[in-house]
Amino acid sequence: MTGIAILLVYVLAFVLAAAAAGLLRRGRARRADFSSLKTVTFGDESAIRPDRLASIASVVVIFLLWGAFTGSKLVPLHVSGPFAGETSFTYQSEGTGGQLSDGRVRITVGPDGTLPAGAETSDDVAVAVQSGRNKLIQLPGDARVVSVNGTEIAPGGAVPVEDGTVSMTSKGTLSFAAERGLQMEPIWLPSPEAVVGRFIEIMANGYQNYSLWEHIGASLLRVLAGFTLGALVGIPLGYAMGLSGWFRGWFDPIVEFMRPVPPLALIPLVIIWFGIWETGKVVLLFLAALWVMAIAARAGVSGVRISKIHAAYSLGASKWQILRHVIVPNSLPEIFTGARVAMGVCWGTVVAAELVAAQMGAGMMIIAAAKFQLTDIVMMGIILIGLIGFGIDLLMRQAETRLVPWKGRS
Amino acid sequence: MSGLTLNNISMRFDLPNGSHVQALQDVSLHLAKGELLSVLGPSGCGKTTLLNIVAGFLAPTAGEITLNGHAVRGPDAERGMVFQEGALFEWMNVRDNVSFGPRMAGRRKADYLPEVDRLLEIVGLKDFRDKAIYELSGGMQQRVALARCLANDPDVILMDEPLGALDALTREKMQALVLKLWKETGKTVMLITHSVEEALLLGERLIVMAPRPGRIHKEYRLPFAELGAGMDLREVKKHPDFGTTREDILSMIWNMEEEIMGHMEPAS
Ligand SMILES: Nc1ncnc2c1ncn2[C@@H]1O[C@H](COP(=O)(O)OP(=O)(O)OP(=O)(O)O)[C@@H](O)[C@H]1O
Ligand SMILES: [Mg+2]
């Protein structure tokens, strides 16, 4: 139910933000660049530019929702939180002789579950309940409760009362549970500021014997080592497969077989063969990058227009010169695409491998935190992993536009 | 013997389904040094195949090609090629494209750069020499391709519809340029085209090929290229012989195409 409500709120936010952006922009002059002057945009993918306002709104909405459901102080609106404060209910009980008597239970719900001073002065039963917990209520004498707030109750039954629920155990004892509200407890979902706080704390003090930068640096180094080795072997292999029938025939079965095997499936075998420490991880990442790069290089070779090769031969180039001056530069766009994919795969794989076993690393950090239910560290780790993966891709894209400016323009 | 000689060239493609295509049958031809031959013919008559054989990209199933007395066995810098499009190297700028041949031959910069710049000036791209290929228009790209071929100083220039992808006006200008370059450099040229007019304007000699099997159907010797070197190409087209020869060849090719279509009818 809550899930559907959240989804509806999210859709509503999407629609409202779109409407607001539309209003905001009305009357403002449109930019006169080439693609905004196009009248046909539906179906012309190249005319679709991401609306940056939408991107900002999207991130803001996620933070608002996150804050609203975790009671964040950074967010003005919250969903209902767990009840805290004083409440009470009345009951009627039947004595051993069948005579009915009324009573009242006063309940204090708070984070520590202790009674405020002077609460026990009146005749009422006073009970303290820790937020989010149940509490059995000891009634005076051997009274057998028959109704709560005027509603009949039997063992196993429950009666909703103000700010909570009163239920009766099978033995006839009453128990009170305060309303939990829609907010998440920090153990399920910590608030944004808790995550940021953790980030600052771990940045200063480190976690599990290593500083944050050592954890992240360890993961990055593994990726870099595995990817570099994979590219160093995979690219020449791909070229060889694109240039020689024997190579193609020899490695085709291997590459085609290894390509669909997810690197994660290799973790057990790699652990058996190379152990759980650095060698094993680098070998795993090497394998993850190898096939992607080999296939990219092979595609790069087969993507060369034959007239370019013919032209180079007619201009007197040797085979080696054609490889160096025609095939390699012509395959660079494919290689870059492959490298981006390989980097993504490596980054995902290294985190997974660190989840299995590691002394340091981004993945190790979150799995260690998860064992102690430190959800804020887990969240922080996931966000960092995502940001770094995004950053890597951004860097690769930038290198691509700088090094392969002719991509897609021939 | 100097010049380009084709001796009974035949080419048969075996298809995977067991049948075969006789793309060329006993094509013989001699081109003296400095001659410009244009090749016309209906689609599929083997023009590209013939040119690829001369360039050395394909080995004929029968026959032999010699250039200046030695047999042609594969591609070589002595036979330059200008393609219809897409044969320039996008990762190099204009000047590096044009100097590709000399650079691959290991010549020194000081040796080839003046010649490269002179060629760029001739084709009118002096100011574009540092531009990237994808920044040029189609016509400019073909001029780069021409200059690149010439910079390598080949004995024979082979062109497969070099102007086919250009618009009519650019095409006319390029025709004049080709003619001028041919006159200036005295290269032997073999030019494939789909345009009868172009073949007439540029070809000192012209062969019309016939399909199934591909062979030389008729050969002409033409005065127009000689005329065109000295006057406006539009004037050349007004020459009385120009019109009649054009009609002649057009109807010849038209009839061949008809025949092919007729061929196809019973099959469908
Ligand atoms: N690699 C090949 N395999 C099989 N058949 C081929 C091959 N190349 C060409 N052919 C066939 O040889 C014949 C001649 O082809 P070619 O490309 O030389 O014709 P063309 O005269 O250049 O045609 P167009 O004017 O359309 O360019 C065609 O029938 C074609 O189907
Ligand atoms: Mg052709």
Side-chain angles (χ1 to χ4, degrees):
Chain A
M1 258 326 280
T2 329
I4 295 173
I6 295 175
L7 192 66
L8 281 178
V9 169
Y10 189 73
V11 171
L12 199 70
F14 178 91
V15 174
L16 286 181
L23 276 180
L24 205 75
R25 284 187 179 148
R26 210 166 51 182
R28 206 160 318 155
R30 291 166 73 196
R31 284 171 308 130
D33 72 3
F34 181 63
S35 87
S36 63
L37 291 176
K38 281 183 181 172
T39 54
V40 174
T41 53
F42 187 84
D44 179 359
E45 202 271 339
S46 69
I48 300 298
R49 294 282 136 77
D51 192 330
R52 285 301 160 211
L53 198 59
S55 309
I56 294 167
S58 164
V59 175
V60 168
V61 163
I62 285 178
F63 270 93
L64 284 179
L65 281 178
W66 182 8
F69 277 90
T70 52
S72 164
K73 292 184 182 61
L74 305 172
V75 171
L77 283 173
H78 295 123
V79 296
S80 59
F83 173 76
E86 301 225 344
T87 182
S88 66
F89 65 88
T90 60
Y91 65 92
Q92 198 169 43
S93 61
E94 198 181 62
T96 39
Q99 76 280 22
L100 293 176
S101 59
D102 288 327
R104 169 188 278 274
V105 179
R106 288 202 293 134
I107 298 166
T108 312
V109 182
D112 41 7
T114 51
L115 278 177
E120 286 176 86
T121 47
S122 76
D123 295 342
D124 301 336
V125 181
V127 177
V129 180
Q130 204 180 340
S131 349
R133 297 285 154 81
N134 288 4
K135 177 100 177 193
L136 291 175
I137 299 166
Q138 291 290 323
L139 295 177
D142 282 334
R144 196 170 64 81
V145 176
V146 290
S147 72
V148 166
N149 276 3
T151 316
E152 277 183 28
I153 190 166
V159 174
V161 297
E162 223 176 296
D163 306 318
T165 312
V166 175
S167 51
M168 187 179 264
T169 64
S170 51
K171 286 184 178 151
T173 317
L174 288 186
S175 135
F176 179 82
E179 214 144 81
R180 283 158 192 255
L182 285 174
Q183 282 186 15
M184 306 285 256
E185 283 182 59
I187 198 166
W188 304 121
L189 181 67
S191 63
E193 58 259 42
V195 172
V196 172
R198 268 300 187 191
F199 176 66
I200 293 167
E201 181 200 320
I202 288 181
M203 227 174 29
N205 305 332
Y207 185 65
Q208 299 264 334
N209 308 327
Y210 293 101
S211 75
L212 183 61
W213 306 122
E214 279 170 326
H215 283 300
I216 287 170
S219 300
L220 279 175
L221 265 181
R222 289 171 187 141
V223 166
L224 219 60
F227 171 79
T228 310
L229 288 176
L232 280 180
V233 178
I235 294 175
L237 178 64
Y239 282 145
M241 286 177 74
L243 296 169
S244 143
W246 185 257
F247 269 95
R248 167 79 64 106
W250 188 279
F251 287 104
D252 237 1
I254 303 175
V255 170
E256 293 305 325
F257 173 75
M258 288 308 290
R259 168 159 65 173
V261 177
L264 300 187
L266 297 174
I267 291 182
L269 191 63
V270 167
I271 287 181
I272 292 173
W273 283 357
F274 298 96
I276 53 175
W277 306 122
E278 295 308 318
T279 325
K281 292 197 179 56
V282 173
V283 167
L284 183 70
L285 296 175
F286 164 75
L287 289 174
L290 177 64
W291 314 118
V292 179
M293 293 314 292
I295 289 164
R298 190 183 67 186
V301 178
S302 59
V304 185
R305 249 178 119 124
I306 187 61
S307 56
K308 289 198 205 321
I309 302 289
H310 280 172
Y313 270 117
S314 308
L315 290 166
S318 65
K319 278 183 183 167
W320 174 248
Q321 286 173 325
I322 284 177
L323 179 65
R324 155 119 174 52
H325 295 285
V326 182
I327 293 174
V328 169
N330 193 83
S331 63
L332 278 183
E334 293 276 0
I335 301 253
F336 262 100
T337 311
R340 275 175 60 194
V341 173
M343 269 296 198
V345 171
C346 279
W347 186 239
T349 308
V350 77
V351 171
E354 288 164 355
L355 292 181
V356 175
Q359 276 177 314
M360 54 170 143
M364 173 269 165
M365 204 168 64
I366 59 176
I367 196 75
K371 283 184 189 136
F372 299 108
Q373 303 226 335
L374 294 167
T375 318
D376 41 7
I377 298 185
V378 174
M379 293 280 293
M380 181 206 85
I382 291 172
I383 293 173
L384 274 182
I385 289 168
L387 285 179
I388 291 170
F390 180 62
I392 291 176
D393 198 57
L394 218 62
L395 279 179
M396 303 279 285
R397 278 212 296 249
Q398 235 159 43
E400 188 175 13
T401 40
R402 182 145 333 150
L403 294 173
V404 199
W406 64 89
K407 184 180 184 185
R409 296 213 243 176
S410 54
Chain B
M1 191 163 74
S2 89
L4 181 70
T5 310
L6 283 69
N7 229 334
N8 291 319
I9 299 293
S10 294
M11 188 73 193
R12 195 178 112 151
F13 289 110
D14 290 320
L15 300 179
N17 62 13
S19 66
H20 59 85
V21 178
Q22 191 72 39
L24 293 171
Q25 179 85 53
D26 288 326
V27 175
S28 294
L29 192 69
H30 176 75
L31 267 182
K33 184 171 165 24
E35 273 188 316
L36 200 169
L37 172 82
S38 40
V39 181
L40 273 174
S43 187
C45 70
K47 304 182 294 291
T48 298
T49 307
L50 184 65
L51 206 73
N52 280 338
I53 290 173
V54 176
F57 304 141
L58 285 173
T61 41
E64 200 195 26
I65 297 180
T66 57
L67 176 60
N68 300 332
H70 65 264
V72 165
R73 299 244 178 274
D76 192 285
E78 67 189 5
R79 279 159 285 124
M81 185 103 176
V82 179
F83 294 85
Q84 180 168 2
E85 60 179 348
L88 294 174
F89 307 129
E90 285 93 2
W91 45 93
M92 299 175 192
N93 63 19
V94 169
R95 195 199 227 163
D96 288 348
N97 262 281
V98 174
S99 63
F100 185 81
R103 280 195 289 133
M104 294 303 110
R107 284 171 51 192
R108 281 208 320 264
K109 227 178 181 159
D111 285 347
Y112 63 76
L113 268 191
E115 172 67 3
V116 165
D117 286 344
R118 192 184 68 88
L119 281 166
L120 281 174
E121 176 138 31
I122 291 179
V123 299
L125 290 173
K126 202 176 140 212
D127 299 336
F128 291 86
R129 64 185 177 194
D130 295 321
K131 284 260 189 297
I133 292 302
Y134 52 82
E135 292 174 294
L136 304 184
S137 70
M140 289 159 128
Q141 290 188 7
Q142 281 316 81
R143 282 186 269 161
V144 175
L146 269 177
R148 182 175 73 174
C149 185
L150 288 168
N152 209 33
D153 197 26
D155 296 331
V156 180
I157 298 179
L158 307 168
M159 305 193 197
D160 192 356
E161 297 176 45
L163 314 181
L166 306 181
D167 67 283
L169 269 175
T170 313
R171 196 167 177 155
E172 262 184 41
K173 286 196 184 140
M174 290 288 290
Q175 287 165 353
L177 179 67
V178 170
L179 214 47
K180 178 178 150 204
L181 287 173
W182 171 63
K183 271 282 142 199
E184 271 180 16
T185 58
K187 301 275 178 213
T188 315
V189 181
M190 193 167 159
L191 169 95
I192 294 180
T193 172
H194 269 138
S195 153
V196 177
E197 225 168 59
E198 187 168 287
L200 289 173
L201 282 174
L202 301 185
E204 220 183 354
R205 285 169 63 190
L206 187 161
I207 55 173
V208 179
M209 291 180 65
R212 287 159 201 277
R215 65 211 124 99
I216 297 178
H217 181 69
K218 191 155 183 194
E219 176 162 356
Y220 295 81
R221 279 198 169 272
L222 302 165
F224 309 116
E226 207 58 53
L227 289 172
M231 71 164 93
D232 194 335
L233 290 187
R234 286 152 191 267
E235 295 300 317
V236 178
K237 288 187 205 167
K238 290 183 189 145
H239 196 284
D241 285 353
F242 191 89
T244 49
T245 324
R246 195 183 65 178
E247 290 313 310
D248 210 29
I249 294 173
L250 267 178
S251 56
M252 190 187 308
I253 294 177
W254 180 255
N255 285 338
M256 286 184 215
E257 299 263 16
E258 287 269 271
E259 214 172 286
I260 300 172
M261 297 301 190
H263 248 75
M264 282 160 69
E265 247 164 28
S268 62

